[in-house]
């Protein structure tokens, strides 16, 4: 995100977008700073409006999701809330200026760190090639640690849901959602639009599909038509064959 001026709420940084539509820079709706609006821009194939603010930050419209944008989003929300809190005499417990935000380097692609939690029976497990799985803790607690360490997103896969012919545990998703403020992708046992709906309602931002996409390739199209392609992820487990392919 690159703001057009430096005296408002918006500042340079990396933000999380989930939508596939955009208002391109220069389109008539936002051609100038008329009526007191100032804008920030992002680039993904083209330059587009990432956010707009007015009245020195009292009105803020964002194309991205501040609540899922890690420290950058926390700082932005903190600065915005401080405007109202200042007038009432309240004090922020974590002043936004104390949160450090990594600035985007012009022309460079951002590296995103996305830890993946393999879960079975409500616990995080680790193994080699899905064999000899060992217990590694509570999913919500592990997710909170990754979020505090600066993860951009988090992925949770219920590795036993498909083999056991059941759906992903919704309680586990809800507990993870309560602990993190970054994007959450959930997969495991997704065979239908209804399965995906339950995961999204439980707290997932995106849904991962694996085995069902092989058996029913049109499932991806149905999910994208219902929820939008931005929240549908295909998970591929690859294995090298002996001939090296």
């Amino acid at each position: 995100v690159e703001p057009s001026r430096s005296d408002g709420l918006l500042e340079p940084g990396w933000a999380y977008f989930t939508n596939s539509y955009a208002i391109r820079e220069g389109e008539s709706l936002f051609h100038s700073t008329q009526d007191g609006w100032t804008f920030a821009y992002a680039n993904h194939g083209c330059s587009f409006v990432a956010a707009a603010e007015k009245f020195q930050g009292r009105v803020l419209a964002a194309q991205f999701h501040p609540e899922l944008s890690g420290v950058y989003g926390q700082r932005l929300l903190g600065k915005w809330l401080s405007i109202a809190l200042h007038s009432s005499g309240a004090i922020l417990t974590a002043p936004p200026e104390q949160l450090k935000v990594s600035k985007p380097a012009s022309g460079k692609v951002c590296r995103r760190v996305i830890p993946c939690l393999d879960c079975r029976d409500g616990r995080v497990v680790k193994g080699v090639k899905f064999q000899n799985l060992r217990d590694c803790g509570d999913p919500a607690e592990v997710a909170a640690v990754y979020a505090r360490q600066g993860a951009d997103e988090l992925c949770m896969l219920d590795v036993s849901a498909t083999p056991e012919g059941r759906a992903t545990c919704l309680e586990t998703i809800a507990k993870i959602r309560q602990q993190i403020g970054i994007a959450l992708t959930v997969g495991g046992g997704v065979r239908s639009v209804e399965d995906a709906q339950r995961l999204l309602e439980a707290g997932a931002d995106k849904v991962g599909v694996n085995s069902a996409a092989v058996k029913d390739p049109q499932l991806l199209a149905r999910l994208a038509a219902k929820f939008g392609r931005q929240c549908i992820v295909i998970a591929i487990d690859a294995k090298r064959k002996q001939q090296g392919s």
Side-chain angles (χ1 to χ4, degrees):
V1 177
E2 294 281 2
S4 56
R5 49 190 296 180
S6 59
D7 58 349
L9 286 179
L10 295 166
E11 58 186 79
W14 299 105
Y16 180 80
F17 294 80
T18 61
N19 299 312
S20 55
Y21 59 85
I23 299 175
R24 295 172 183 264
E25 183 178 6
E27 290 186 347
S28 58
L29 181 61
F30 289 114
H31 188 267
S32 67
T33 57
Q34 58 183 351
D35 299 325
W37 286 98
T38 59
F39 307 99
Y41 301 92
N43 193 295
H44 186 74
C46 67
S47 182
F48 62 93
V49 176
E53 61 177 297
K54 190 176 184 179
F55 303 130
Q56 296 182 329
R58 292 182 181 275
V59 179
L60 177 66
Q63 169 76 359
F64 56 87
H65 285 248
E67 78 283 5
L68 298 176
S69 296
V71 173
Y72 178 76
Q74 293 175 35
R75 182 179 170 91
L76 176 60
L77 290 173
K79 291 171 66 177
W80 184 74
L81 288 171
S82 68
I83 295 175
L85 293 175
H86 178 73
S87 63
S88 65
I91 301 175
L92 286 174
T93 57
E97 59 272 12
Q98 294 182 6
L99 300 174
K100 296 182 179 180
V101 179
S102 59
K103 301 295 192 300
S106 179
K108 294 186 177 180
V109 177
C110 176
R111 292 183 176 89
R112 301 187 65 79
V113 179
I114 309 176
C116 182
L117 305 182
D118 290 336
C119 297
R120 183 181 67 177
D121 300 327
R123 302 287 293 179
V124 178
V125 294
K126 295 294 182 182
V128 178
K129 298 181 179 179
F130 303 105
Q131 302 297 318
N132 302 318
L133 299 179
R134 66 184 188 280
D135 187 284
C136 290
D138 177 76
E141 294 177 359
V142 176
V145 170
Y146 281 134
R148 288 196 299 270
Q149 291 177 342
D152 295 293
E153 302 182 35
L154 188 75
C155 182
M156 192 215 86
L157 300 178
D158 190 329
V159 296
S160 59
T162 295
E164 295 175 3
R166 60 172 176 80
T168 298
C169 180
L170 302 182
E171 182 179 355
T172 300
I173 301 172
K175 289 181 178 179
I176 292 176
R177 179 76 282 166
Q178 291 175 355
Q179 295 297 320
I180 64 174
I182 55 178
L184 174 63
T185 299
V186 178
V190 179
R191 305 175 187 82
S192 66
V193 171
E194 291 72 24
D195 289 336
Q197 180 82 47
R198 284 189 286 270
L199 298 186
L200 294 171
E201 290 176 349
D205 298 292
K206 294 185 282 189
V207 174
V209 185
N210 191 311
S211 302
V214 177
K215 299 176 181 178
D216 179 13
Q218 291 304 310
L219 174 61
L220 296 177
R222 296 197 299 273
L223 292 173
K226 176 68 174 180
F227 307 111
R229 63 189 302 172
Q230 77 282 345
C231 76
I232 307 303
V233 178
I234 181 69
I236 300 176
D237 295 320
K239 182 178 180 180
R240 185 182 297 276
K241 295 183 178 179
Q242 291 183 351
Q243 61 268 34
S245 61

